[in-house]
Amino acid sequence: MSTARLSIDRGRCIGAGMCAMTAPDVFDQDTEDGLVVLLRAEPAAARLAAARMATGMCPSGAITLSEPESGSSSRSAAPGA
């Protein structure tokens, strides 16, 4: 069975911290620059809903969630994109 996989783009991250507040078991913020830190690239089923929500809430579109079972990939879209 394939699992959902997260990836981050620290170059796009603006350090808003929505991901770390929404899914603290999956994301954190770097203490020096405030940018996203991925704690779990393959979140457990119990954390997947929060990871999906964090992906959608990211204001800069720095988080990508790929879910092989459905063959889809969702990416947070930057405002106005």
Side-chain angles (χ1 to χ4, degrees):
M1 179 173 143
S2 298
T3 59
R5 181 140 184 97
L6 289 161
S7 60
I8 57 170
D9 181 346
R10 286 178 52 94
R12 284 186 78 152
C13 180
I14 60 171
M18 296 304 297
C19 57
M21 288 188 285
T22 304
D25 291 334
V26 180
F27 304 98
D28 199 357
Q29 283 184 278
D30 188 293
T31 58
E32 293 194 19
D33 61 15
L35 300 180
V36 63
V37 174
L38 183 58
L39 301 176
R40 300 180 193 284
E42 295 182 357
R47 295 184 174 102
L48 192 52
R52 280 189 194 112
M53 186 177 292
T55 299
M57 293 179 72
C58 179
S60 65
I63 305 169
T64 301
L65 175 63
S66 299
E67 295 184 80
E69 289 93 39
S70 65
S72 67
S73 176
S74 71
R75 181 174 189 126
S76 176

